[in-house]
Amino acid sequence: MNDWPEGWSGDNRGDRYGRGSASARPESARVMRQVRRGAAPPPGQSAPPYGGVPQQPSYVDGQGHGGQDGYDSGYNTGQVYGSPGGRGPGAGGPGRPAPDWRRRIKWTAITLATVVVVTTVGTYFWADSKLNREVDLSKVIERPGAGEGTNYLIVGSDSREGMTSEQKKDLHTGSAEGKRTDSMMILHTGDNGSTLISLPRDSDVEIPSFVGSESGKKYEGTGRRVKLNAAYAEDGPELLVRTVEHNTGLRLDHYVEIGFAGFANIVDSVGGVEMDIPQDIKDPKSGADLKKGKQTLNGEDALAFVRTRYALAGSDLDRTKNQQKFLSALANQVATPSTVLNPFKLYPTMGSGLDSLVVDKDMGLFDLASMFWAMKSVSGGDGTSMNMPVSGSVGGNLRWDDAKVKQLVEQLKNDEKVTVSGN
C-alpha cells in the first residue's frame, strides 16, 4: 500500500517541485492532502474535534501528570515565569513591598550622628596630644589671690627654634641665640566682655624674688629694675609670670606662647589675613614693606607688620596696637565658617597652631578655644583693647601709671566693665 498522496508515490512525482524536480514551482505552493485518520462521521453529525486526531491527555488531568500532587509545567495555563498566574508586571496581585522611608531616615541619621561623634572625639584627642604643655606655673611663688574671670598671658617670642637658614632670611629674624619676647599681652575673659591689654616690652618693672625654673634655687629680690622682656630672657616663662603678677597684683591663670615660624605658618594656613594698614610702612629691620590701605597679609608680611616699631612714630606703643589689631583679625579669620567647616583648611590651621604653641601644664583645649573666641569678640567690638597705662619714661624705659594700673587691676579682679583708658 502506498501512503503517499496521489502523484507522489515512488519516483513518479510528475512535474511537482521537489528534490530532483525541474519544476520552477516553489514547494510552498504545493497542496498536501489532509490525512484522515479514522472513519468519517455519519451524515448529520459534526466532525470530531481536532480533525479526528485523538485529544492528547492534559498535564493536569489527574492521570499522574498533574493535579494537586502532580507536576504542572504551567504551559497549559499560559503562565510566564516570574509572573504568577500568567499575569505580567503591573497586573495586580502581591508585589515588592514599598520602602520604609522612616526606617531608612532613622538609620541614616544614626549613622551620620555616629560619624560626627567619632570624628569629634578623634579630633579632640589628636589636638590635645599636640599641645606643648611645657610651662609649670606651680613653680611661681608668692602669687596674688584669684579673682573673677580668667586671665591669660599671651607671649610672642622671637624663638628661631627649628627654622632653617633660608626661613630666617625670608622672615628677617636674624640668627640670635636664645629667646626673647617681642610682645606680651594680658587677655581677661569674663561675664562683662573681654579685655586685651598690651604690656610694652620696654616697661620698667621690678624683678622680685623667684625660684629658678631649672635649678629650683630661690633668688631673693634686690629691687632691681629692668625692662619687662628681660625677665623672660633671664629665666623664661615662669619668671615672666612672676614679674607680671608682682608688678600688677593680678593673678594669671594660663600662659600661651608662640614663636616666629609658628605665627607665620598659622597665617598662611588660613589663606592670609585681611588688614587695613593705616600708613605706608617700610622697615628694613623687620622686613616690612607695606602700602597704606586694605590688603591680605601672608605669613611673612604679617610677621613683619607685628614686629615693626622703628618705622612708627609711637615706637613700641604703636607696635603693641598693631599687634592687638592683627591678633584679633587672625582670631576672627580662624573662627569663620570657611575655616571651621572646611576640613582641608581647619586641620592644617589647627596643626600649625598647636605645633607652635607652648602653654602651661593646666591648659586644656577648651581653655584655648575660649581664649581665641575672646580675642575674636574684641575685634568684633564686644570687648576692649588697650595698652597698659603709662605715665612717662625713666632711663629709656616706660613707667606705668600706678594709680590707673591699680584701678584697672581691681576692675579685672572683680570682672567689672573696664573704664580705665590706656595709651
Side-chain angles (χ1 to χ4, degrees):
M1 176 178 179
N2 189 351
D3 292 333
W4 286 93
E6 184 180 352
W8 282 70
S9 60
D11 292 332
N12 183 20
R13 301 172 185 171
D15 58 355
R16 302 286 184 180
Y17 180 83
R19 188 174 55 186
S21 170
S23 173
R25 186 179 182 184
E27 187 174 357
S28 62
R30 296 183 310 216
V31 177
M32 186 172 182
R33 297 178 181 179
Q34 179 178 352
V35 178
R36 177 176 299 173
R37 297 181 181 178
Q45 294 184 7
S46 60
Y50 309 106
V53 179
Q55 183 177 359
Q56 299 299 311
S58 169
Y59 285 95
V60 291
D61 61 1
Q63 298 180 11
H65 298 288
Q68 187 172 4
D69 299 323
Y71 171 76
D72 179 4
S73 67
Y75 285 110
N76 64 318
T77 63
Q79 179 174 338
V80 179
Y81 289 113
S83 176
R87 291 169 294 191
R96 187 174 183 178
D100 188 345
W101 288 109
R102 288 186 178 180
R103 183 181 178 84
R104 291 188 179 185
I105 293 173
K106 171 186 175 182
W107 282 107
T108 299
I110 291 175
T111 301
L112 290 176
T114 302
V115 170
V116 170
V117 170
V118 171
T119 301
T120 302
V121 173
T123 300
Y124 175 86
F125 283 105
W126 166 77
D128 188 72
S129 68
K130 294 179 76 67
L131 273 180
N132 300 310
R133 297 182 173 92
E134 299 178 4
V135 180
D136 188 357
L137 295 184
S138 67
K139 296 179 180 179
V140 180
I141 62 173
E142 301 175 21
R143 308 191 68 184
E148 300 293 329
T150 304
N151 299 310
Y152 300 83
L153 181 61
I154 303 172
V155 174
S157 76
D158 64 357
S159 172
R160 299 157 180 83
E161 185 176 353
M163 296 176 63
T164 65
S165 299
E166 184 177 355
Q167 287 176 318
K168 293 177 183 178
K169 180 179 179 181
D170 291 340
L171 298 177
H172 300 272
T173 65
S175 300
E177 296 297 329
K179 293 195 301 183
R180 283 160 293 277
T181 54
D182 260 22
S183 61
M184 290 158 284
M185 303 178 190
I186 294 174
L187 174 65
H188 173 83
T189 64
D191 295 334
N192 286 292
S194 302
T195 303
L196 186 62
I197 308 162
S198 287
L199 309 176
R201 57 178 284 174
D202 293 340
S203 297
D204 184 72
V205 295
E206 178 186 350
I207 297 293
S209 302
F210 69 96
V211 174
S213 58
E214 297 294 335
S215 65
K217 179 181 177 181
K218 183 174 182 179
Y219 298 88
E220 296 293 341
T222 61
R224 178 167 52 104
R225 304 192 71 86
V226 298
K227 292 181 178 181
L228 181 58
N229 67 337
Y232 181 93
E234 185 173 333
D235 197 47
E238 287 84 1
L239 179 55
L240 178 62
V241 170
R242 168 73 175 127
T243 302
V244 171
E245 289 187 341
H246 174 77
N247 286 268
T248 62
L250 182 68
R251 185 184 181 96
L252 301 174
D253 301 291
H254 292 293
Y255 177 92
V256 181
E257 177 187 327
I258 186 169
F260 281 160
F263 180 85
N265 288 339
I266 293 175
V267 174
D268 286 334
S269 65
V270 297
V273 176
E274 186 178 73
M275 288 291 297
D276 189 358
I277 308 298
Q279 66 181 73
D280 291 347
I281 299 177
K282 190 172 182 64
D283 184 358
K285 291 191 174 183
S286 70
D289 188 4
L290 305 171
K291 300 298 182 183
K292 179 180 178 180
K294 285 188 177 181
Q295 54 199 285
T296 299
L297 303 182
N298 61 21
E300 180 181 339
D301 290 336
L303 182 60
F305 174 68
V306 298
R307 294 181 61 217
T308 294
R309 65 169 176 163
Y310 295 105
L312 304 176
S315 188
D316 203 33
L317 291 177
D318 282 350
R319 177 170 71 167
T320 56
K321 293 177 182 178
N322 286 341
Q323 290 170 346
Q324 288 180 349
K325 292 177 182 178
F326 186 84
L327 289 178
S328 295
L330 175 59
N332 189 67
Q333 177 68 28
V334 171
T336 57
S338 62
T339 299
V340 175
L341 300 180
N342 183 355
F344 298 103
K345 185 179 287 189
L346 175 63
Y347 283 96
T349 300
M350 291 179 64
S352 298
L354 296 172
D355 280 339
S356 56
L357 290 179
V358 175
V359 300
D360 65 90
K361 293 184 179 296
D362 294 327
M363 173 73 82
L365 287 178
F366 290 110
D367 298 313
L368 195 60
S370 176
M371 184 193 79
F372 274 104
W373 281 107
M375 293 183 69
K376 179 179 181 295
S377 70
V378 170
S379 67
D382 294 331
T384 303
S385 60
M386 58 184 291
N387 277 327
M388 184 66 82
V390 174
S391 61
S393 62
V394 54
N397 298 342
L398 296 173
R399 173 164 287 179
W400 293 349
D401 186 321
D402 293 336
K404 286 187 174 182
V405 170
K406 182 178 180 180
Q407 182 182 1
L408 172 63
V409 170
E410 286 300 314
Q411 291 176 342
L412 294 177
K413 279 185 174 182
N414 298 323
D415 194 24
E416 299 171 353
K417 185 70 176 179
V418 171
T419 59
V420 178
S421 60
N423 300 82

